[in-house]
């Protein structure tokens, strides 16, 4: 299992932007999928999107398409979640997760139960 570290959370006004990063602090499988989830108070943890290490292909969930994007630093195995035009409903703890998976042209993210490594989470608060 990889040990993941998220950073970049904070307080932002509606319409603002924030970038989260997720990096393994040690070993991670060469081929893996790294994903972002979020959990708002009183709600289930939901997927935001994921990226494949093999080719950088990404999938974003409908709730954030057009506002969020994913990018990566290949050398550092770091994944970034760029969040734009943030809304009040985006307030949540954002978690990074990883799963070993040799996949190209990603068309779907693995389900939440499939990930074997999770970060500690970073708080994102959207408030005026």
């Amino acid at each position: 299992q990889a040990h993941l570290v998220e950073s970049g959370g904070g307080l932002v006004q509606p319409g603002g932007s924030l970038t989260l990063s997720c990096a393994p602090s040690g070993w991670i499988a060469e081929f893996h999928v790294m994903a972002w989830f979020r959990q708002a108070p009183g709600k289930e943890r939901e997927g935001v999107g994921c990226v494949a290490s093999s080719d950088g292909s990404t999938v974003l969930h409908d709730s954030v398409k057009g506002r969020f994007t994913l990018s990566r630093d290949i050398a550092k195995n770091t994944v970034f979640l760029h969040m734009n035009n943030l809304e009040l409903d985006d307030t949540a703890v954002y978690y990074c997760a990883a799963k070993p998976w040799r996949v190209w042209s990603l068309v779907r993210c693995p389900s939440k139960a499939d990930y074997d490594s999770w970060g500690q989470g970073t708080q994102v608060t959207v408030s005026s």
Side-chain angles (χ1 to χ4, degrees), residues 15-115:
S17 299
L18 209 57
T19 294
L20 307 182
S21 65
C22 174
S25 64
W27 175 89
I28 191 167
E30 179 182 3
F31 293 102
H32 59 271
V33 170
M34 198 172 287
W36 286 98
F37 288 81
R38 65 184 181 182
Q39 188 166 18
K43 294 188 176 181
E44 294 280 327
R45 190 172 298 189
E46 64 174 6
V48 175
C50 61
V51 57
S53 67
S54 55
D55 61 0
S57 53
T58 62
V59 173
L60 282 166
H61 290 264
D62 290 345
S63 61
V64 301
K65 279 182 182 177
R67 299 189 299 121
F68 292 11
T69 59
L70 289 162
S71 68
R72 61 175 183 156
D73 181 330
I74 297 174
K76 297 180 181 179
N77 278 314
T78 300
V79 170
F80 302 96
L81 178 65
H82 305 281
M83 305 184 293
N84 299 307
N85 195 20
L86 282 160
E87 303 170 352
L88 296 177
D89 286 347
D90 294 318
T91 295
V93 177
Y94 283 71
Y95 296 91
C96 178
K99 163 189 164 60
W101 194 14
R102 193 183 180 102
V103 61
W104 281 263
S105 301
L106 200 62
V107 295
R108 65 169 181 84
C109 293
S111 62
K112 185 170 52 179
D114 290 338
Y115 294 92

